[in-house]
């Protein structure tokens, strides 16, 4: 077809976490709890005016984020979820002949977004314990590298990059390469040694940070995320952004969410405690699983992945399988997690997780 770019035919479609009627859905890293009451009330009040276009600049939300993080409004750029802001970053920085680097396995959208922008994805394998291999990433830098994505906690493995590791990495990355620290799961990260994206943003001119309201805040269905980037980069993100990309309802809900941090923290604490309980239950049965700092855990199932995923589905559990690598399981409510524990223990032998 003459009206189709050659690259489009070869693009893998992004696969949404599956949902099966009557099954326990643990496939999409969603917050399993309903919207915060205070946020829902504000959105209901706003719902009567969605016949009108939203504020394209999202001025109130941008200013509220800036106050919340102690940055300038000119250093904040918003989009329809952090994945759309990641696309803005790639389109603003890389094109034909340029390279975008990321760890692999990591967020599935990275290679897709890179190819859509016309750039070349450069995946760098994780270490044996499923962490970013920052030395290998440094060695993979070329004169065509324009952007490096560092997902911490990493989706789907849950591993983090430490403060010491990040500093040593950034000290060696050429200043002309933008390093994007993707912190979609930062609220669930309680490792005191973890790198803070904002800390490095304040110290390095070539660092940007990605955050989302989809995970901890529970606004996945409204789609709103943002980048914190130095003014020139943030201005470029606004130039390539989809006009009116963040709906009025999403803007309203995000502002209200930032005003409900104390209410939100109770849910974060519950999800963290359930994560600890899930890992302990698996380890008690002799299963080898690494720590996770996200709202999910990672089962290294290798060549058994497809069979184990089907066994879980047969027992009413839908997780996210990555054939040949592993299975990511979202932390749900206590009842949902109990169902998963029962299913995995009946479906898997300890030596199938390694």
């Amino acid at each position: 077809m003459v009206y189709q770019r050659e690259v489009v035919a070869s693009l893998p479609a992004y696969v949404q976490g599956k949902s099966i009627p009557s099954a326990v859905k643990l496939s999409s890293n969603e917050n399993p709890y309903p919207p915060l009451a205070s946020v829902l009330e504000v959105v209901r009040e706003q719902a009567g005016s969605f016949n009108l276009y939203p504020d394209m600049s999202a001025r109130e939300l941008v200013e509220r984020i800036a106050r919340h993080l102690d940055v300038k409004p000119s250093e904040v750029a918003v989009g329809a979820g952090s994945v759309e802001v990641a696309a803005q970053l790639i389109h603003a920085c890389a094109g034909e002949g340029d390279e975008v680097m990321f760890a692999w396995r990591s967020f599935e959208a990275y290679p897709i977004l890179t190819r859509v922008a016309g750039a070349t994805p450069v995946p760098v394998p994780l270490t044996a314990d499923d962490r970013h291999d920052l030395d290998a990433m440094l060695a993979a830098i070329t004169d065509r590298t324009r952007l490096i994505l560092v997902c911490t906690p990493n989706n789907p493995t849950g591993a983090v990059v430490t403060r010491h590791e990040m500093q040593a990495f950034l000290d060696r990355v050429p200043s002309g390469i933008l390093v994007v620290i993707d912190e979609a799961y930062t609220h669930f990260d309680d490792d005191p040694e973890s790198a803070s994206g904002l800390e490095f943003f304040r110290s390095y001119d070539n660092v940007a940070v990605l955050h989302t309201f989809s995970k901890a805040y529970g606004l996945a269905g409204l789609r709103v995320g943002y980048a914190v980037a130095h003014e020139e980069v943030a201005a470029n993100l606004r130039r390539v952004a989809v006009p009116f990309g963040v709906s009025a309802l999403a803007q309203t809900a995000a502002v209200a969410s930032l005003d409900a941090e104390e209410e939100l923290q109770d849910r974060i604490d519950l999800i963290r405690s359930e994560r600890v309980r899930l890992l302990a239950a698996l380890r008690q049965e002799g299963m080898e699983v690494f720590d996770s700092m996200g709202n999910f855990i990672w089962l290294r199932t290798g060549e058994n992945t497809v069979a184990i995923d089907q066994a879980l589905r047969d027992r009413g559990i839908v997780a996210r399988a990555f054939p040949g690598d592993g299975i990511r399981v979202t932390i749900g409510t206590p009842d949902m997690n109990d169902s998963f524990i029962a299913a995995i223990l009946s479906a898997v032998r300890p030596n199938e997780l390694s």
Side-chain angles (χ1 to χ4, degrees):
M1 298 181 184
V2 294
Y3 48 85
Q4 176 178 286
R5 288 169 60 204
E6 183 177 346
V7 68
V8 173
S10 63
L11 284 175
Y14 181 83
V15 180
Q16 182 179 10
K18 294 186 183 301
S19 179
I20 297 175
S22 78
V24 175
K25 184 186 179 188
L26 300 175
S27 58
S28 294
N29 289 351
E30 298 157 325
N31 191 317
Y33 300 102
L36 296 171
S38 59
V39 175
L40 190 57
E41 180 180 355
V42 173
V43 171
R44 281 173 174 155
E45 292 173 358
Q46 177 75 29
S49 62
F50 60 64
N51 57 305
L52 304 175
Y53 281 109
D55 174 8
M56 193 172 81
S57 67
R59 180 182 55 81
E60 183 182 3
L61 173 58
V62 166
E63 291 179 352
R64 184 68 181 82
I65 291 170
R67 289 200 306 273
H68 181 68
L69 300 179
D70 192 23
V71 298
K72 301 174 187 176
S74 58
E75 296 172 326
V76 177
V78 299
S82 61
V83 66
E84 201 261 316
V85 186
Q88 295 172 15
L89 283 157
I90 294 170
H91 279 275
C93 296
E96 194 72 34
D98 296 329
E99 295 177 346
V100 175
M101 186 187 303
F102 44 85
W104 195 255
R105 179 171 292 275
S106 192
F107 183 35
E108 279 186 286
Y110 292 158
I112 299 172
L113 298 176
T114 300
R115 290 198 177 279
V116 169
T120 301
V122 180
V124 178
L126 298 169
T127 63
D129 55 354
D130 286 334
R131 303 182 70 243
H132 277 66
D133 191 337
L134 296 177
D135 287 337
M137 294 177 78
L138 287 166
I141 291 174
T142 72
D143 58 3
R144 295 192 299 158
T145 306
R146 297 290 176 267
L147 186 124
I148 300 174
L149 292 151
V150 179
C151 186
T152 178
N154 186 43
N155 173 20
T157 66
V160 298
V161 175
T162 68
R163 183 180 296 107
H164 172 75
E165 290 168 337
M166 187 70 78
Q167 177 147 6
F169 179 68
L170 291 172
D171 283 344
R172 296 171 61 192
V173 173
S175 61
I177 298 173
L178 184 66
V179 178
V180 178
I181 303 175
D182 186 346
E183 296 185 322
Y185 300 94
T186 187
H187 287 86
F188 307 105
D189 182 3
D190 54 4
D191 185 340
E193 299 301 316
S194 289
S196 164
L198 287 172
E199 174 187 331
F200 289 105
F201 161 76
R202 293 185 171 100
S203 302
Y204 293 82
D205 291 337
N206 64 329
V207 168
V209 184
L210 273 178
H211 284 175
T212 183
F213 285 90
S214 295
K215 308 305 180 184
Y217 291 103
L219 304 187
L222 288 177
R223 312 306 304 130
V224 56
Y226 62 91
V228 177
H230 293 285
E231 289 182 342
E232 181 180 356
V233 175
N236 286 336
L237 300 190
R238 288 187 281 276
R239 290 186 178 102
V240 301
V242 175
F244 305 107
V246 182
S247 72
L249 292 182
Q251 293 181 37
T252 296
V255 170
S257 294
L258 291 172
D259 291 331
E261 290 276 312
E262 185 174 339
E263 189 181 356
L264 177 73
Q265 190 60 47
D266 291 338
R267 291 187 173 180
I268 293 171
D269 291 342
L270 179 55
I271 289 170
R272 286 173 174 174
S273 66
E274 282 296 292
R275 181 182 68 199
V276 170
R277 184 171 75 90
L278 274 183
L279 290 171
L282 297 180
R283 287 167 179 161
Q284 185 175 343
E285 297 298 321
M287 297 181 182
E288 181 184 354
V289 283
F290 291 123
D291 287 335
S292 170
M293 289 295 118
N295 66 332
F296 53 87
I297 63 171
W298 174 243
L299 308 180
R300 298 183 69 197
T301 47
E303 63 183 15
N304 298 313
T305 297
V306 172
I308 293 175
D309 180 52
Q310 186 59 55
L312 288 173
R313 293 185 187 209
D314 291 344
R315 291 161 175 80
I317 303 294
V318 182
R320 184 64 175 269
F322 300 88
D325 289 332
I327 298 174
R328 190 193 68 197
V329 183
T330 304
I331 307 299
T333 65
D335 286 346
M336 294 166 75
N337 298 332
D338 285 342
S339 296
F340 164 71
I341 291 171
I344 194 72
L345 294 184
S346 67
V348 179
R349 295 184 298 274
N351 62 5
E352 291 180 320
L353 296 186
S354 60

